[in-house]
Amino acid sequence: MKQQDLYLGVDIGTTSTKAVLYRKNGGVETSHTIDYPLDTPDTLVAEQNPEEIFNAVLGVIRETIRKGNVSDDQLRLISFSSAMHSLIAVGDNDELLTSSITWADTRAADYARKIKEEHNGHEIYLRTGTPIHPMSPLAKLVWMKTEKPEIFNKARKFISIKEYVFHKLFGEYVIDYSIASATGLFNLQTLDWDEGALELAGIRPEQLSKIFPTTHQLTGVNEEHRTYMGISADVPFIIGASDGVLSNLGVNAIEEGVIAVTIGTSGAIRTVYNEPKTDPKGRIFCYALTENHWVIGGPVNNGGIILRWLRDEFAAAEVETAKRLSIDPYDVLTKIASGVNPGADGLIFHPYLKGERAPIWNANARGSFFGLSIHHKKEHMVRAVLEGTLYNLYSVLLALEELTGEPKSIQATGGFARSETWRQMMADIFDKPVIVPESFESSCLGAAVLGMYATGEIDDFSIVSEMVGDTNTHYPDEKTTNIYRELLPIYIRLSRMLTEEYESITAFQRKHLEQD
């Protein structure tokens, strides 16, 4: 009997790299994940070790191939997804001059504001589709040029983490349309580097990688790395796209009007158009999936990272309980939250622990509990944290609806989708049915499907509807939804009213952190 063809999707994420080996029907053969830290020594810095991430990429591919007992003639391709907005400076001999400065790093906040106010930032956004924010490599480059000139002037190349991985594998600096479209340096109409953005950043085109469609294939991987991974010399590597746009593909949210909501470390709401589309108010991004598929939406900094913070800082007892019962600590936390009334009895949490992107685009925003009173207990705070993360995503949806109209349906994915409590909470807050595919690793599946499209195995993306597998649908409860309709306007008004206070408390924090 002929052995089944297999397709490997690899997702280079913020806190882990995952590899999932798929059969053509969407079934999972096997998978592997390797975690790594996000270094956050203060409220501004968020960096990672590129070599540690590269080793994780090699490791997940090796382990997935080993666990799946994959023969050389079974593996059809390896296709990549990656987190966006990272920046690494490399020198003349390809040596690292910086760590990987991630999307969560906000040291460029003041420079992002100057770009907006003094350098026609809105016009740059309209051309590039990347909102002006410290997450953007454009803002990071302007910051580095001024604050780190000894590094900036020494750099031969400025690249992302995916470019670093591909250079290690193939000896070439290459970037796909999708990752490029998230830099603030890429012109959506010309599909090339934007002259005005590069001039502002103070860099030349040759200091950036060569741009390719997301379907670009590479072969001839480094022999040492190939042997370690346990793959044949002729397996094609597909350059792939960003995790956000591939997540849309991986949950079958590629038709106009279908909204994908993802909560991983961060979060996002996205929908697909057949041409680039930007927002006159500058609230929404526009990134490439293919030349004919453009994903628009809004990202939030504060997704699952908020629940991790809650677990690490306030839930020692719950973590111990989880260990004794051999269950996930997050399951214990969401179980606690499910025992509290919707709306947490009037406790509201703003989840801005890492500043915020959409919809307020304020790197100085800070988290807070509002409405805290003597009757509130730890379990109320747990529920408020879960609800606040979803309130924030809902406020992004309101902005997106101004451009696209009311959504036809919502497809939800990411680590949060494992929690039935959180999924139902989303349906109630969004007041829409929420469809959750069986496969939670949507970016890996999206990468695999894009790889099939790139190699000509499929002519379009319709196969995704068969590959996503079974789905769960959560319907809003009218009584609960009415409670959230009372609280959501308060949540939104507060985030706007506190703008000046966010600036003041951030200045205080920076001053005293520097003194420490």
Side-chain angles (χ1 to χ4, degrees):
M1 187 174 73
K2 181 182 182 295
Q3 289 184 308
Q4 193 157 194
D5 290 339
L6 298 171
Y7 308 83
L8 187 60
V10 179
D11 177 36
I12 307 168
T14 305
T15 56
S16 66
T17 287
K18 312 173 191 72
V20 183
L21 193 62
Y22 294 97
R23 299 183 286 274
K24 197 165 187 176
N25 65 1
V28 173
E29 190 75 10
T30 188
S31 64
H32 194 71
T33 300
I34 294 178
D35 296 331
Y36 35 75
L38 177 66
D39 297 325
T40 55
D42 59 44
T43 58
L44 302 179
V45 176
E47 295 185 333
Q48 292 177 309
N49 182 336
E51 193 63 16
E52 190 170 13
I53 295 175
F54 175 68
N55 288 332
V57 171
L58 295 182
V60 295
I61 294 174
R62 174 189 172 95
E63 284 303 301
T64 307
I65 296 298
R66 184 191 64 79
K67 289 195 292 188
N69 195 25
V70 180
S71 63
D72 287 350
D73 59 347
Q74 279 185 288
L75 185 61
R76 303 290 296 164
L77 57 89
I78 302 175
S79 185
F80 283 79
S81 160
S82 177
M84 295 172 277
H85 311 304
S86 56
L87 181 69
I88 304 167
V90 296
D92 288 338
N93 298 312
D94 300 318
E95 74 275 18
L96 289 169
L97 301 180
T98 67
S99 297
S100 177
I101 306 172
T102 72
W103 59 267
D105 193 291
T106 59
R107 284 174 287 178
D110 290 342
Y111 294 89
R113 187 180 69 251
K114 288 179 182 178
I115 293 170
K116 284 182 183 178
E117 297 174 355
E118 302 172 16
H119 298 286
N120 297 317
H122 187 64
E123 294 301 316
I124 294 174
Y125 156 74
L126 292 175
R127 296 198 306 269
T128 66
T130 304
I132 305 300
H133 185 270
M135 70 175 184
S136 163
L138 169 62
K140 291 182 172 82
L141 285 167
V142 175
W143 163 79
M144 189 182 294
K145 179 173 61 173
T146 305
E147 301 291 339
K148 305 284 184 181
E150 70 285 357
I151 295 174
F152 184 87
N153 294 329
K154 190 178 179 181
R156 180 172 73 91
K157 290 280 187 180
F158 296 100
I159 61 173
S160 71
I161 189 61
K162 192 206 269 190
E163 293 160 80
Y164 179 79
V165 168
F166 270 80
H167 182 263
K168 295 275 287 187
L169 292 173
F170 295 98
E172 301 178 46
Y173 285 113
V174 294
I175 188 171
D176 60 81
Y177 285 163
S178 188
I179 293 294
S181 66
T183 62
L185 303 166
F186 179 78
N187 190 296
L188 300 179
Q189 301 300 327
T190 65
L191 301 181
D192 201 353
W193 298 120
D194 184 85
E195 291 181 5
L198 264 61
E199 182 179 358
L200 176 61
I203 61 173
R204 306 178 305 280
E206 56 267 28
Q207 289 181 281
L208 300 173
S209 296
K210 188 173 181 181
I211 313 169
F212 289 95
T214 56
T215 51
H216 180 62
Q217 301 180 43
L218 295 93
T219 54
V221 67
N222 174 282
E223 180 69 17
E224 178 186 353
H225 299 323
R226 181 188 71 76
T227 302
Y228 178 81
M229 289 184 285
I231 61 175
S232 66
D234 57 353
V235 63
F237 281 63
I238 313 304
I239 193 170
S242 70
D243 53 1
V245 303
L246 286 173
S247 182
N248 267 64
L249 178 57
V251 296
N252 195 30
I254 53 175
E255 293 183 14
E256 193 170 312
V258 179
I259 300 288
V261 181
T262 302
I263 306 178
T265 304
S266 56
I269 292 183
R270 302 170 302 269
T271 192
V272 174
Y273 260 63
N274 59 6
E275 61 183 5
K277 186 179 183 69
T278 51
D279 175 20
K281 297 180 182 179
R283 297 164 297 176
I284 301 301
F285 62 63
C286 178
Y287 301 144
L289 172 54
T290 72
E291 300 94 314
N292 301 313
H293 299 84
W294 296 85
V295 177
I296 65 171
V300 299
N301 285 353
N302 301 283
I305 197 171
I306 302 299
L307 197 54
R308 176 184 288 191
W309 166 79
L310 183 72
R311 179 200 68 185
D312 293 347
E313 303 300 334
F314 300 102
E318 288 75 16
V319 170
E320 283 303 313
T321 299
K323 284 181 181 178
R324 289 197 304 272
L325 299 175
S326 298
I327 59 176
D328 192 321
Y330 294 126
D331 291 340
V332 176
L333 288 173
T334 54
K335 178 72 172 176
I336 289 171
S338 67
V340 175
N341 290 328
D345 292 334
L347 183 61
I348 292 174
F349 177 69
H350 283 87
Y352 305 144
L353 302 192
K354 290 296 297 180
E356 194 48 278
R357 291 181 286 176
I360 61 175
W361 295 102
N362 187 347
N364 292 327
R366 292 294 180 264
S368 61
F369 284 98
F370 178 79
L372 191 63
S373 67
I374 197 70
H375 75 276
H376 287 122
K377 299 180 175 62
K378 180 194 285 189
E379 51 264 38
H380 290 90
M381 300 179 80
V382 173
R383 183 167 187 113
V385 166
L386 296 177
E387 290 175 336
T389 304
L390 294 177
Y391 290 166
N392 199 41
L393 281 163
Y394 178 77
S395 65
V396 181
L397 178 62
L398 294 178
L400 189 58
E401 283 183 349
E402 289 184 27
L403 297 177
T404 64
E406 190 169 343
K408 296 177 185 175
S409 63
I410 293 173
Q411 310 275 91
T413 188
F416 96 106
R418 294 183 176 91
S419 165
E420 185 173 351
T421 297
W422 220 355
R423 298 194 307 249
Q424 183 60 47
M425 207 178 281
M426 176 180 283
D428 294 333
I429 290 171
F430 282 38
D431 193 18
K432 294 266 187 304
V434 171
I435 301 166
V436 184
E438 190 177 61
S439 172
F440 299 125
E441 303 299 349
S442 56
S443 295
C444 286
L445 178 58
V449 172
L450 183 62
M452 293 179 192
Y453 180 71
T455 55
E457 293 214 18
I458 56 175
D459 296 326
D460 57 40
F461 294 142
S462 59
I463 193 174
V464 179
S465 62
E466 304 168 17
M467 295 182 71
V468 294
D470 295 334
T471 59
N472 296 301
T473 302
H474 294 260
Y475 297 94
D477 175 86
E478 183 178 0
K479 183 178 178 182
T480 303
T481 294
N482 288 338
I483 292 171
Y484 289 132
R485 285 294 164 273
E486 290 185 57
L487 293 172
L488 278 162
I490 303 172
Y491 174 94
I492 293 171
R493 286 198 304 271
L494 276 170
S495 65
R496 307 308 190 266
M497 292 167 62
L498 291 173
T499 300
E500 289 187 16
E501 309 313 322
Y502 290 149
E503 301 294 322
S504 298
I505 199 65
T506 301
F508 176 88
Q509 290 173 346
R510 289 177 181 172
K511 174 183 174 183
H512 288 273
L513 280 169
E514 288 172 2
Q515 289 177 355
D516 292 343

